Amino acid sequence: MLHAIIMAGGAGTRFWPASRAARPKQLLDLVGGRTMIQATLDRLGDLVSPERTLVVTNERLVDAIRQQLPQLPAHAVVGEPCKRDTAPCIGLAAILVSREDDDATMVVMPADHVIETDEQFRGAVTYAAELVERQPERIVAFGVRPTYPAESFGYIERGEALKDAATASAPLKTFQVSRFREKPTAEVARQYLETGKCYWNAGIFVWKAKTILAALEKHEPEMYGHLQRIGEAFGKPDYADVFAREFAAIRGKSIDYAVMERHDAVIVVEAPYQWDDVGNWPSLARLRGTDENENTLAGKHLAINTRGTIVRSSNDHLVVTVGMENCIVVHTPDATLVANKNDEESIRKVVELLKERGWEEYL
């Protein structure tokens, strides 16, 4: 059966000051209507039941996520004792899912992406699951056709077309993976775009739980051993202690490095849906649109001679901008950010400096 794994442990530091340790990006309403993690769960619709959905996050977010997703059983939200990247997160989820279903198929997705439409997403996942059922050793990644030379995404270079894709019930463009490529420089990203053979790596995957566990055992035996000991302790009185000890002992690694770049049967499906990883404040201009002066505004705002600026506030606090161009202004009750839109990467440095100064109340 199909199980959904939602990875929700990110810190979202590039969305400071709205994103904080206790309420990071995935718990915010950035686009409108629902928080990002709520929209992620909504997207699954009837494809996966709440009983077959697992959210993996960090310990301090467990209660907040349970409050936002009351339709899930309490045990469906699992808190990691420390941050160890995506490979341990996914391996842990595969072990927990396999306890209930030894032939489980998993769709793995981040909690903080925007995807449209939900119907196209569900159709693509159904198609990928069909490919995995045909050949259980397969790992399916979703690639997004790039629209600009992005430096902030990893890329997937496609190879030959998959021969049996056309015989699926609802076929999509599907290829063997030639190579995974890391986040490029601007010039290299332009070259990727020009080839027409490279996709953005959406970080959404479909595979058998036993396949990903076998791959981890083969390529990351030390990590796999720690995860196995956690699984063996599940339901026992010392589970919490074993979980904390064994998980902390894992050397963190992304699933791309741990498995994707080393597995023999990886294929990429060209995503039929629109996708955005909502990686920074400027991404709101793509998602929320702009006015006649190319401003993106959320909250009460008065703009005078302002152009190309993103403003986020609340409806009970007025922000006035005068003579500003290509800026980011984010107001929260206890902190306000004013930044050059072309230097948004430095927002991460703000969080580092706050830690150095001991200003924990702003983190």
Side-chain angles (χ1 to χ4, degrees):
M1 298 182 74
L2 184 63
H3 298 251
I5 312 301
I6 299 174
M7 298 183 291
T13 54
R14 283 185 287 183
F15 278 90
W16 188 90
S19 178
R20 306 290 180 95
R23 193 176 175 83
K25 178 177 73 164
Q26 59 269 30
L27 300 185
L28 299 178
D29 173 6
L30 292 174
V31 181
R34 302 280 278 168
T35 67
M36 302 199 77
I37 195 169
Q38 288 172 333
T40 300
L41 184 61
D42 292 347
R43 191 173 301 127
L44 292 168
D46 296 330
L47 186 63
V48 182
S49 69
E51 292 73 26
R52 298 198 310 275
T53 301
L54 185 68
V55 178
V56 184
T57 184
N58 62 61
E59 283 183 333
R60 62 185 171 190
L61 295 180
V62 168
D63 289 342
I65 289 176
R66 285 174 177 166
Q67 290 174 9
Q68 288 207 5
L69 305 178
Q71 63 270 56
L72 294 185
H75 66 264
V77 182
V78 177
E80 298 172 335
C82 53
K83 184 177 177 62
R84 287 296 182 267
D85 218 324
T86 55
C89 168
I90 288 168
L92 173 66
I95 284 177
L96 296 177
V97 164
S98 296
R99 290 179 57 84
E100 305 297 327
D101 180 358
D102 61 5
D103 194 39
T105 298
M106 300 166 58
V107 53
V108 179
M109 70 204 82
D112 54 1
H113 292 178
V114 170
I115 291 175
E116 294 181 340
T117 66
D118 292 353
E119 291 77 10
Q120 289 175 314
F121 174 79
R122 290 193 291 268
V125 171
T126 300
Y127 166 73
E130 182 179 340
L131 295 180
V132 168
E133 289 296 333
R134 290 183 179 193
Q135 293 188 24
E137 73 277 9
R138 279 175 173 163
I139 284 178
V140 181
F142 284 99
V144 176
R145 185 173 289 280
T147 54
Y148 64 95
E151 302 171 57
S152 57
F153 302 148
Y155 286 73
I156 302 172
E157 183 178 344
R158 76 187 192 202
E160 296 296 321
L162 191 69
K163 290 183 173 60
D164 65 335
T167 63
S169 56
L172 298 171
K173 293 180 180 179
T174 308
F175 304 87
Q176 304 290 343
V177 170
S178 174
R179 185 176 176 185
F180 283 86
R181 296 184 177 272
E182 302 307 314
K183 296 176 182 178
T185 62
E187 177 57 32
V188 172
R190 280 191 289 272
Q191 293 173 11
Y192 289 169
L193 196 62
E194 290 170 359
T195 68
K197 295 182 178 181
C198 292
Y199 296 108
W200 289 334
N201 185 352
I204 303 172
F205 310 107
V206 177
W207 49 49
K208 288 286 186 182
K210 58 188 176 186
T211 298
I212 200 67
L213 288 174
L216 286 171
E217 183 178 20
K218 176 182 179 180
H219 300 298
E220 298 290 338
E222 184 178 340
M223 180 190 300
Y224 177 80
H226 291 300
L227 294 171
Q228 277 292 95
R229 287 188 280 277
I230 293 171
E232 291 166 358
F234 189 83
K236 297 180 180 178
D238 63 343
Y239 172 69
D241 292 336
V242 173
F243 187 9
R245 180 180 67 249
E246 296 293 336
F247 201 83
I250 294 173
R251 295 176 61 184
K253 186 174 287 190
S254 75
I255 196 64
D256 288 355
Y257 282 125
V259 173
M260 306 300 288
E261 296 180 358
R262 302 152 89 177
H263 193 72
D264 292 331
V266 185
I267 58 179
V268 58
V269 173
E270 184 175 312
Y273 45 79
Q274 298 297 312
W275 171 89
D276 199 301
D277 82 328
V278 199
N280 50 34
W281 284 118
S283 64
L284 292 192
R286 296 193 301 269
L287 297 169
R288 300 183 71 109
T290 58
D291 63 14
E292 64 276 10
N293 293 310
E294 300 180 4
N295 297 317
T296 299
L297 311 174
K300 187 174 291 186
H301 175 248
L302 175 61
I304 301 173
N305 297 329
T306 296
R307 188 172 185 84
T309 292
I310 295 169
V311 178
R312 188 177 193 269
S313 184
S314 58
N315 290 327
D316 59 359
H317 183 93
L318 174 64
V319 172
V320 179
T321 56
V322 180
M324 299 185 73
E325 187 170 355
N326 294 328
C327 289
I328 300 168
V329 181
V330 182
H331 169 268
T332 69
D334 64 344
T336 299
L337 170 73
V338 181
N340 187 312
K341 194 163 66 174
N342 296 323
D343 193 27
E344 63 84 23
E345 275 293 328
S346 295
I347 296 175
R348 282 185 170 184
K349 297 179 183 178
V350 172
V351 176
E352 295 172 5
L353 290 171
L354 292 175
K355 290 179 181 177
E356 289 178 9
R357 297 193 179 192
W359 292 354
E360 301 293 328
E361 65 272 26
Y362 298 108
L363 294 174

